Amino acid sequence: EVYLVESGGGLVKPGGSLRLSCAPSGFTFSTHTFNWVRQAPGKGLEWVSSITSSSAYIYYADSVKGRFTISRDNAKNSLYLQMNSLRAEDTAVYYCARVRSADGTPYDAFDIWGQGTMVTVSS
Amino acid sequence: DIQMTQSPSSLSASVGDRVTITCRASQSIYRYLNWYQQKPGKAPRLLIYAASSLQSGVPSRFSGSGSGTDFTLTISSLQSEDFATYHCQQSYSTPFTFGQGTKLEIK
């Protein structure tokens, strides 16, 4: 079975840091681009960041640029999101999502999603 | 950034109805348009990619069309399990923007 599992969410104070992880199962991790997508309570989906298969290309939403860092370790089959200088507006469920194409392109649909991990930024 | 606008924002329909949801991009995205279904408390599920390709395992009552800036998602005959929120998304360029969502409710 193909799936993703996120971990690392929790409650953090404004200005604090968290590191999210995403672990895949049932497919070859190293050939796909991955993304982080978030959803604030009661709101729509917001793309956060993307990393290509070899980490050659990394993209961020303006709302997190300079504060969040996406990374991956293909040897450990893991995706990460380091979140620093957290703000109340970063409160959301964070999903990792796989890009459908196995050729490494980021320009394709997100076909596999994790269950999400909740990040709450509050004093 | 490319803005994605869905309409309507919400929709009431009955089982068996034919339903169409529209998504408009602020500039041409060719056919880099994807549709997702999301149920409360769950992750989104890919339904349609590249504007009209049905994702594996998705019922054939779902279909997508369009290119350039205007796209539609059609559900040919609503089933009870289809009541959910639907999101469009462009994968043409970063940031990969989503529409605001269309909530499909039971009439």
Side-chain angles (χ1 to χ4, degrees), chain B residues 68-101:
Chain B
T69 60
D70 294 309
F71 302 87
T72 59
L73 172 71
T74 299
I75 310 172
S76 60
S77 179
L78 271 175
Q79 301 301 301
S80 58
E81 60 266 31
D82 300 337
F83 292 96
T85 297
Y86 293 84
H87 307 272
C88 64
Q89 178 228 4
Q90 63 85 12
S91 52
Y92 175 69
S93 68
T94 60
F96 297 129
T97 40
F98 291 85
Q100 80 278 16

Side-chain angles (χ1 to χ4, degrees), chain A residues 35 37 39 43-47 50 59-62 95 99-100 106-116, chain B residues 1 32 34 36 38 41-46 48-50 55 87 89 91-100:
Chain A
N35 295 267
V37 177
Q39 187 169 37
K43 302 297 185 182
L45 299 168
E46 180 188 15
W47 172 81
S50 177
Y59 307 97
Y60 296 101
D62 285 348
Y95 297 100
V99 170
R100 191 185 65 89
Y107 305 108
D108 201 346
F110 303 164
D111 67 336
I112 306 296
W113 295 65
Q115 84 287 356
Chain B
D1 297 0
Y32 289 84
N34 313 301
Y36 302 87
Q38 188 179 27
K42 300 295 186 182
R45 171 197 181 198
L46 177 64
I48 301 286
Y49 63 92
Q55 173 68 356
H87 307 272
Q89 178 228 4
S91 52
Y92 175 69
S93 68
T94 60
F96 297 129
T97 40
F98 291 85
Q100 80 278 16

Side-chain angles (χ1 to χ4, degrees), chain A residues 39-105:
Chain A
Q39 187 169 37
K43 302 297 185 182
L45 299 168
E46 180 188 15
W47 172 81
V48 172
S49 184
S50 177
I51 185 167
T52 56
S53 54
S54 63
S55 305
Y57 296 95
I58 288 175
Y59 307 97
Y60 296 101
D62 285 348
S63 57
V64 307
K65 199 172 294 182
R67 300 187 299 123
F68 290 11
T69 301
I70 191 172
S71 63
R72 63 190 294 164
D73 185 333
N74 287 343
K76 294 183 178 179
N77 283 348
S78 292
L79 173 74
Y80 306 103
L81 186 68
Q82 177 67 44
M83 304 186 295
N84 298 331
S85 303
L86 282 161
R87 306 167 179 166
E89 54 265 36
D90 296 319
T91 294
V93 174
Y94 284 73
Y95 297 100
C96 60
R98 186 187 83 167
V99 170
R100 191 185 65 89
S101 173
D103 68 3
T105 179

